[in-house]
């Protein structure tokens, strides 16, 4: 079976993942890989009123999020912008704004 899209990580996304304990890293990578084959809203979900999506991982009661956006110009890519530990029900607006800024810079530089 072929993945539906490829995930590209920004340096900030890599830094976030590698700053976490190894078991958390493994779960995040597993969930992201799984979401490339099966669209599961528990793992990869579009945020309301935005072009930003979030990779979702829950590990030992802690919610980890990597925000991302789509680029379908040549290949079907999902660019993971950055990550954070979610502490409330709603995704913080500053995190969404940061992902939207990275998205804008990405497309302006193409």
């Amino acid at each position: 079976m072929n993945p539906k899209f490829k995930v590209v990580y920004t340096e900030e996304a890599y830094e976030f993942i590698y700053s976490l304990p190894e078991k958390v890293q493994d779960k995040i990578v597993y969930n992201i890989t799984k979401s490339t084959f099966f669209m599961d809203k528990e793992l990869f979900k579009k945020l309301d009123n935005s072009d930003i999506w979030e990779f979702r991982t829950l590990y030992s009661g802690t919610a980890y999020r990597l925000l991302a956006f789509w680029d379908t110009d040549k290949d079907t890519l999902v660019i993971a912008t950055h990550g954070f530990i979610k502490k409330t029900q709603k995704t913080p607006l500053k995190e969404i704004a940061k992902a939207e800024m990275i998205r804008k810079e990405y497309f302006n530089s193409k």
Side-chain angles (χ1 to χ4, degrees), residues 33-47:
T33 302
K34 185 176 176 184
S35 69
T36 66
F37 291 96
F38 306 102
M39 289 301 269
D40 180 347
K41 285 188 176 189
E42 293 299 313
L43 300 178
F44 188 51
K45 180 181 174 187
K46 186 176 189 310
L47 298 177

Side-chain angles (χ1 to χ4, degrees), residues 40-84:
D40 180 347
K41 285 188 176 189
E42 293 299 313
L43 300 178
F44 188 51
K45 180 181 174 187
K46 186 176 189 310
L47 298 177
D48 293 335
N49 304 318
S50 176
D51 289 324
I52 303 301
W53 290 62
E54 66 179 357
F55 288 106
R56 305 156 54 104
T57 299
L58 186 63
Y59 186 85
S60 293
T62 302
Y64 299 90
R65 299 291 188 261
L66 263 86
L67 297 186
F69 60 89
W70 290 84
D71 177 1
T72 56
D73 283 350
K74 293 181 183 163
D75 298 315
T76 304
L77 302 176
V78 171
I79 290 66
T81 61
H82 69 289
F84 60 97

